[in-house]
């Protein structure tokens, strides 16, 4: 069973009434990643379309809307959707949370941990380790952010052929195949309907 302290902080209820679930605040959450082309030109990209929950039994399920990709160049957005993502609608990050973890973290407190989960991406299952810091903002809100950078392999993600197409279309000498990734997840207590 996959175990993670990623969202353990989301379940903190030592001083608050227990919630059935925690809901990702998509407006205040983001996944960022970088790319390096022609050996020395670095660029930052992101996804803004995130949704998800942590259920009462500790199941973490975060969905990433691939159509919300922003590379700051429209034609590149389109090419990545077509050639790299193959017009797939989304990716998912799955993990299991130890519901007993970090219950002692008080409002204003922080703790560092390492996420262990599975990224479901274009039919591939990629195991990920994400160093994160969890901050308890209030009884009803927890912020999870990267504590460093995690690298994913384009080969493991199954997108090398698509990256080759992008490289040819843009006339580039190279695009690095190690992708740095960062996350910012804001979680609110409850089902998000309030």
């Amino acid at each position: 069973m996959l175990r993670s302290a990623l969202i353990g902080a989301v379940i903190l209820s030592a001083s608050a009434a227990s919630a059935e679930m925690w809901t990702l605040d998509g407006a205040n959450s983001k996944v960022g990643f970088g790319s390096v082309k022609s050996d020395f030109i670095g660029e930052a990209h992101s996804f803004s379309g995130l949704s998800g929950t942590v259920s009462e039994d500790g199941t973490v399920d975060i969905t990433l809307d691939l159509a919300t990709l922003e590379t700051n160049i429209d034609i590149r957005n389109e090419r990545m959707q077509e050639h790299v993502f193959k017009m797939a609608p989304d990716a998912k990050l799955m993990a299991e949370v130890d519901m007993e973890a970090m219950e002692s973290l008080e409002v204003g407190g922080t703790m560092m941990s390492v996420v262990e989960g599975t990224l479901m991406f274009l039919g591939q299952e990629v195991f990920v380790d994400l160093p994160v810091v969890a901050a308890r903002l209030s009884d009803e809100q927890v912020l999870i952010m990267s504590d460093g950078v995690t690298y994913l392999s384009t080969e493991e993600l199954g997108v090398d052929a698509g990256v080759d197409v992008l490289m040819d279309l843009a006339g580039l000498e190279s695009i690095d195949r190690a992708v740095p990734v960062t996350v910012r997840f804001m979680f609110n207590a409850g089902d998000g309907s309030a």
Side-chain angles (χ1 to χ4, degrees):
M1 178 173 64
L2 295 172
R3 299 188 61 182
S4 170
L6 164 66
I7 317 298
V10 188
I11 313 302
L12 305 176
S13 302
S15 61
S18 178
E20 289 187 2
M21 68 170 54
W22 287 75
T23 301
L24 189 72
D25 179 353
N28 291 299
S29 300
K30 183 172 77 170
V31 171
F33 69 100
S35 64
V36 177
K37 61 187 183 184
S38 299
D39 294 331
F40 64 91
I41 302 171
E43 295 175 305
H45 320 294
S46 64
F47 296 96
S48 58
L50 300 172
S51 61
T53 59
V54 181
S55 67
E56 190 175 10
D57 68 0
T59 300
V60 179
D61 187 345
I62 297 174
T63 299
L64 174 63
D65 182 354
L66 297 178
T68 65
L69 170 69
E70 183 53 72
T71 69
N72 300 307
I73 298 177
D74 289 343
I75 187 63
R76 182 165 57 197
N77 292 346
E78 295 171 7
R79 287 173 174 174
M80 287 191 68
Q81 294 291 343
E82 180 180 356
H83 301 294
V84 179
F85 302 155
K86 304 296 186 183
M87 306 306 290
D90 55 44
K92 286 185 176 289
L93 176 64
M94 310 287 291
E96 294 293 327
V97 172
D98 180 356
M99 300 296 279
E100 302 290 326
M102 302 190 297
E103 287 184 353
S104 62
L105 186 63
E106 298 179 355
V107 172
T110 61
M111 74 170 292
M112 293 175 288
S113 188
V114 176
V115 177
E116 295 179 0
T118 301
L119 178 66
M120 309 292 292
F121 185 82
L122 305 183
Q124 306 293 320
E125 292 188 15
V126 180
F127 292 99
V128 294
D129 291 321
L130 298 172
V132 298
V133 57
R136 182 71 178 269
L137 304 183
S138 73
D139 289 337
E140 304 296 320
Q141 197 168 56
V142 171
L143 175 64
I144 310 291
M145 295 184 66
S146 296
D147 184 33
V149 177
T150 295
Y151 287 87
L152 297 179
S153 160
T154 59
E155 180 180 8
E156 283 188 315
L157 293 170
V159 298
D160 267 347
V163 174
D164 288 340
V165 172
L166 291 184
M167 193 169 62
D168 290 341
L169 289 172
L172 299 173
E173 296 177 3
S174 65
I175 296 177
D176 281 9
R177 304 309 168 103
V179 181
V181 177
T182 60
V183 301
R184 183 182 73 227
F185 297 144
M186 183 76 80
F187 281 90
N188 297 321
D191 61 8
S193 61

